[in-house]
Amino acid sequence: MDFYLTVKHELYFAKKFVGMLKSVATLAHLIIFLIFSALNAGAQNLPPLGVEFTDITHAAGIDFVHNTGAFGQKYLPETMGSGCAFIDYDNDGWQDILLVNGKDWEGKPTGKRQTMALYRNNQDGTFTDVTETAGLAVPLYGMGTAVADYDNDGDSDIYISCLETDRLFQNRGDGTFIDITETSGIHNPGFGTSCAWFDYNNDGHLDLYVANYVEWSIENDLFCTLDGKNKSYCTPESYQGQASKLFRNRGNGTFADVSRIARIEDNNSKSLGVCIFDYNADGLPDIFEANDTQPNKLYQNNGDSTFIESGMLTGIAYNESGVATGAMGIDAADYDRSGRESLIIGNFSNEMLNLYHNEGDFFIDDAPAAHIGNATLLTLTFACFFFDFDLDGNLDIFTANGHVENDINAIQSQVTYAQPPHLFHNDSHGKFTDALNKVGADLMKPMVGRGAAYGDIDNDGDWDLLVTTSNGPAHLFRNDGGNRNAWIKIQLAGQKSNRDGIGAQIRITSASGTQTRTVKSGSSYCSQSELTATFGINSDPIIQTIEVLWPSGTTSTRKNVKPNQHIRIEEDAP
């Protein structure tokens, strides 16, 4: 058995290293990339973007260090890291920070922090750790988080996915939380990873999707090795997958596990990322599940509380080689103003990012032609998302990168453990330019990146970045200069729809054209970005129209809105 796992483990990394070269389709894409690179050689020499991301972690008073519990035994969960979230937990209009944490293994103390961390925004560029007073100082081997007002009472609640049993913390509205997991009826004993709130049946109550990974425990931990002698971290191929969970909100404070009857239960899945988006524009939220070494899943909403799996039919189950990738993080957005939401997927090293362009009924991977394929071939991407960091009206791409093996460089000389992130600037013509060296030195530093989220910590209109690392510090990067362009920030308040307006589509029109955003929970990797929607409008002096299509089917419209302000739009009462 040990010999089998050794060979299997080594073949896994060998496959990751040479797999790209075996694909005729990928070689063709690389040739296309080289042609585009030659034709657009000057595009890499862009003028300065006027934006700098400054690492203010220490100055802001954030001293969180993630704890994997590692003590040399190399347990699989230690490689995965944990996520983060932006949350305005006290409703003061300023984004606070939540950092999910692991904990020590029993009998193996590390001296590190054992609980998550909630940092209150002091509104002056600093934060205060309020974890204990908020009632969240609970030792958990946490993985992911999703934030939303699930009970429609006006404040944000917190779900934490865990290696063991997940937890739901209800916001009491007085700055404290209470663990209501047991009374709510939520029970997920699996290896929880990313999670997301959404209203799959459009009844005004937020339901919950929780991605699960593999069947792992200390008791069934396997011996894997890269050199035939020393233990290394096993790959997910060594373990059986786990089915993800769908919990329906009954509207009375309790949930029902409808995973099986909704037809999303698949024990072969090994899911690390989840994204909710309406891929076919039928008004019903669909589920994309990014699976590690198993086919990705696209659960299409049938409108009758069931889903049908359509990943193969739509072309996103496998890569163009017909191989299931090591998919991690995920996001969806209308990055090219086509009116359809496309997908970005983070993958293992030697597997480029996927940029699946939504063609209506199917997806085409545009990563090589968009100039992000070759640039991401060697990095291992966990978190990834679309966001407009310079507010020019075009959605850019951020990824948090880092390998799972700390000695990978000894085996693959071009691959490192700590890796710098990617920041790709959208040129508005379907292409992206690597802009990391244009936004200051702080963001360029290599780190073992895992979770990531965006939020506006100083209410100046531009997106700041929060990144977690595996067994290392969190990093808060302030966006300096992104608000040189005009912007509008929109917060929704549902009435018939859920209170946060999750699932609502916001469309704005200005002189630069029309842009669309969907308010969503989840995405990235195990993380949650700010729920408000921010649009950059370059230098446009006025926004002619803001239109909100609510999950309930109603529409709200605002006309001739001045930019550079934060507005709140309430759904008309039923």
Side-chain angles (χ1 to χ4, degrees), residues 138-466:
V138 182
L140 301 170
Y141 206 107
M143 294 294 299
T145 184
V147 171
D149 182 6
Y150 84 89
D151 51 4
N152 291 329
D153 66 351
D155 46 42
S156 296
D157 310 295
I158 298 171
Y159 187 85
I160 304 290
S161 63
C162 300
L163 176 60
E164 298 153 345
T165 301
D166 297 358
R167 301 293 184 91
L168 175 59
F169 295 94
Q170 183 184 43
N171 193 328
R172 287 172 162 170
D174 60 359
T176 67
F177 293 82
I178 182 172
D179 186 341
I180 62 161
T181 312
E182 187 173 347
T183 58
S184 72
I186 287 179
H187 180 58
N188 181 36
F191 190 158
T193 55
S194 294
C195 41
W197 295 100
F198 74 126
D199 186 2
Y200 78 93
N201 53 5
N202 286 339
D203 65 353
H205 302 291
L206 287 174
D207 312 299
L208 179 67
Y209 190 88
V210 184
N212 284 326
Y213 194 36
V214 296
E215 293 284 351
W216 180 91
S217 67
I218 291 177
E219 290 73 27
N220 75 349
D221 181 66
L222 300 172
F223 182 90
C224 297
T225 180
L226 290 173
D227 60 11
K229 296 183 297 183
N230 300 303
K231 185 179 182 185
S232 63
Y233 287 111
C234 287
T235 70
E237 291 180 324
S238 303
Y239 294 96
Q240 173 64 39
Q242 282 189 335
S244 297
K245 292 284 189 179
L246 176 61
F247 296 100
R248 179 175 61 82
N249 189 335
R250 294 189 177 105
N252 62 358
T254 66
F255 293 79
D257 184 345
V258 295
S259 310
R260 181 165 297 178
I261 62 175
R263 302 176 187 171
I264 61 93
E265 194 173 70
D266 184 350
N267 290 324
N268 293 314
S269 291
K270 299 177 182 181
S271 182
L272 291 176
V274 60
C275 181
I276 310 298
F277 74 127
D278 182 6
Y279 94 91
N280 54 359
D282 64 354
L284 300 169
D286 309 302
I287 305 166
F288 182 82
E289 182 182 81
N291 283 308
D292 188 2
T293 71
Q294 287 292 312
N296 296 322
K297 301 294 172 61
L298 177 59
Y299 292 109
Q300 179 182 318
N301 195 327
N302 293 323
D304 60 359
S305 296
T306 68
F307 295 79
I308 184 170
E309 207 287 297
S310 305
M312 179 80 76
L313 292 175
T314 54
I316 52 181
Y318 303 93
N319 67 11
E320 292 189 346
S321 307
V323 175
T325 63
M328 312 281 183
I330 175 72
D331 195 18
D334 180 10
Y335 74 90
D336 62 349
R337 304 196 188 188
S338 66
R340 296 183 295 266
E341 291 184 294
S342 299
L343 292 167
I344 185 80
I345 304 174
N347 288 310
F348 208 85
S349 58
N350 302 300
E351 296 172 339
M352 67 181 72
L353 283 177
N354 299 125
L355 179 63
Y356 283 117
H357 186 263
N358 190 336
E359 302 290 327
D361 295 325
F362 60 93
F363 295 80
I364 294 178
D365 191 353
D366 274 354
H371 293 187
I372 66 172
N374 192 55
T376 60
L377 191 55
L378 295 180
T379 47
L380 195 164
T381 295
F382 274 81
C384 59
F385 49 73
F386 296 101
F387 78 138
D388 185 2
F389 75 86
D390 60 346
L391 299 175
D392 65 352
N394 301 306
L395 288 172
D396 312 301
I397 295 171
F398 176 82
T399 79
N401 309 316
H403 212 276
V404 296
E405 285 284 355
N406 58 12
D407 56 354
I408 188 63
N409 189 244
I411 302 163
Q412 298 183 29
S413 61
Q414 296 184 5
V415 180
T416 58
Y417 182 49
Q419 302 172 358
H422 290 302
L423 181 66
F424 294 109
H425 185 253
N426 188 336
D427 73 354
S428 78
H429 299 293
K431 308 292 187 295
F432 292 83
T433 301
D434 190 346
L436 190 64
N437 62 352
K438 306 286 186 183
V439 295
D442 287 358
L443 198 61
M444 295 175 64
K445 296 176 181 177
M447 54 184 140
V448 188
R450 292 298 184 260
Y454 55 88
D456 184 5
I457 62 167
D458 43 12
N459 284 338
D460 66 351
D462 52 32
W463 289 125
D464 308 297
L465 287 171
L466 181 64

